[in-house]
């Protein structure tokens, strides 16, 4: 009829092709406003699951991504950005780099993906309703007390997306790239750092909520530039974000990246 629901987790038992009693065909997906969906999901309800504070749809409009030449060009431009897949023990997710506006940072991380730097590392810091962090070489041992303190080897070279060579700093870090003004929205990847300038290396975090106070352009103390976003496997990211952790935010059950590769 006219009613539909938006899945906020992976409800695979509802798939019509699984052989179960529930048969709910998927016909669309949310591409913008995931934080709004999450807020609606977390609203307080009565015993009949109706929101205590009514949430009304004021207007629904139809918008085609290819309705104009400009939209089509934008879509094609986004599709040209490189993508990488992370296969983990909790499932796989795919990211797309904002290479068109963050070429330097994207190239540095792409180099680490291509050289197998991330293979075998564990998510070493997970904070529910905040972010999941990954990329420290010491996290190959999930119980290492040094997890979260490492990065690439000093003065190593990597090629930019334009073919030019770049050299990492003496501590293995790269220079801050404050371009694009991309906010730390849910499912964006942002460079982790110590709080000092030019202290990002291989570690990054995936925002699970909108952490706009981490944006480098807000004027606050935290300056974490976004360089990519998750395009597939958001349910995997969400599940990692909800995993149980110890007092130091380390997952009780280690979550390992089996393989990271460009696609």
């Amino acid at each position: 009829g006219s009613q539909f629901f938006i899945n906020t987790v992976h409800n695979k038992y509802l798939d019509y092709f699984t052989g179960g009693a529930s048969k709910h065909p998927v016909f669309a997906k949310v591409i913008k406003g995931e934080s709004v969906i999450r807020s609606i999901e977390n609203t307080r309800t009565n015993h009949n699951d109706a929101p205590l504070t009514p949430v009304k749809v004021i207007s629904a409009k139809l918008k085609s991504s290819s309705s104009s030449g400009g939209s089509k060009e934008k879509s094609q431009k986004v599709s040209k950005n490189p993508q990488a897949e992370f296969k983990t023990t909790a499932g796989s997710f795919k990211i797309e780099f904002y290479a068109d506006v963050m070429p330097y940072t994207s190239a540095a991380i792409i180099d680490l993906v291509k050289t197998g730097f991330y293979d075998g590392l564990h998510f070493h810091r997970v904070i529910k309703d905040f972010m999941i962090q990954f990329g420290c070489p010491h996290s190959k041992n999930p119980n290492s007390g040094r997890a979260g303190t490492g990065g690439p080897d000093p003065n190593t070279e990597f090629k930019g997306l334009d073919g030019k060579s770049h050299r990492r700093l003496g501590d293995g870090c790269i220079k801050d790239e404050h371009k694009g003004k991309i906010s730390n929205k849910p499912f964006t990847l942002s460079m982790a750092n110590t709080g000092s300038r030019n202290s990002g290396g291989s570690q990054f975090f995936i925002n699970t909520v909108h952490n706009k106070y981490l944006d480098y352009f807000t004027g606050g103390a935290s300056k974490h530039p976004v360089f990519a976003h998750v395009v597939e496997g958001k349910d995997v990211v969400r599940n990692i974000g909800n995993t149980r952790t110890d007092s130091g935010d380390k997952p009780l059950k280690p979550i390992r990246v089996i393989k990271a590769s460009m696609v």
Side-chain angles (χ1 to χ4, degrees), residues 133-134 190-195 199-205 224-225 227:
Q133 189 167 333
F134 169 79
S190 192
M191 290 298 291
N193 57 47
T194 65
S199 60
S202 58
Q203 295 185 49
F204 60 82
F205 56 88
H224 297 275
F227 65 90

Side-chain angles (χ1 to χ4, degrees), residues 178 193 195 211-224:
H178 290 164
N193 57 47
N211 298 309
K212 60 182 178 181
Y213 67 94
L214 299 179
D215 297 339
Y216 70 86
F217 48 87
T218 58
S222 295
K223 299 181 184 297
H224 297 275

Side-chain angles (χ1 to χ4, degrees), residues 177-196:
E177 186 176 33
H178 290 164
K179 295 180 178 179
K181 290 188 176 181
I182 307 169
S183 189
N184 281 267
K185 293 182 178 180
F187 302 107
T188 55
L189 280 69
S190 192
M191 290 298 291
N193 57 47
T194 65
S196 300

Side-chain angles (χ1 to χ4, degrees), residues 108-167:
I109 301 300
I110 288 172
D111 172 71
L112 297 177
V113 171
K114 288 182 174 180
T115 57
F117 182 93
Y118 292 121
D119 300 351
L121 304 188
H122 292 78
F123 283 89
H124 64 271
R125 187 170 178 238
V126 172
I127 302 178
K128 187 176 181 179
D129 297 326
F130 180 30
M131 60 88 213
I132 60 177
Q133 189 167 333
F134 169 79
C136 175
H138 301 311
S139 71
K140 186 157 283 191
N141 174 3
N143 298 314
S144 173
R146 299 176 65 195
T149 65
D153 290 332
N155 300 310
T156 48
E157 291 189 357
F158 64 93
K159 281 193 177 295
L161 302 178
D162 57 0
K164 295 181 179 179
S165 293
H166 298 277
R167 185 181 296 274

Side-chain angles (χ1 to χ4, degrees), residues 4 33 35 43-45 53 56 65 73 80 85 98 112 133 139 157 159 162 165 171-172 177 186 204 217 224 226 250:
F4 59 84
S35 59
T43 193
R44 294 179 62 195
T45 59
T53 300
K56 180 175 67 169
S65 61
E73 288 175 6
K80 291 180 181 178
E85 183 178 33
Y98 289 118
L112 297 177
Q133 189 167 333
S139 71
E157 291 189 357
K159 281 193 177 295
D162 57 0
S165 293
D171 55 1
E177 186 176 33
F204 60 82
F217 48 87
H224 297 275
V226 170
K250 182 177 66 178

Side-chain angles (χ1 to χ4, degrees), residues 24-44:
H24 298 274
V26 171
F27 65 91
K29 65 177 180 178
V30 175
I31 58 175
K32 189 175 181 180
E34 289 166 348
S35 59
V36 175
I37 301 298
R38 186 172 295 106
S39 296
I40 295 173
E41 176 195 16
N42 291 327
T43 193
R44 294 179 62 195

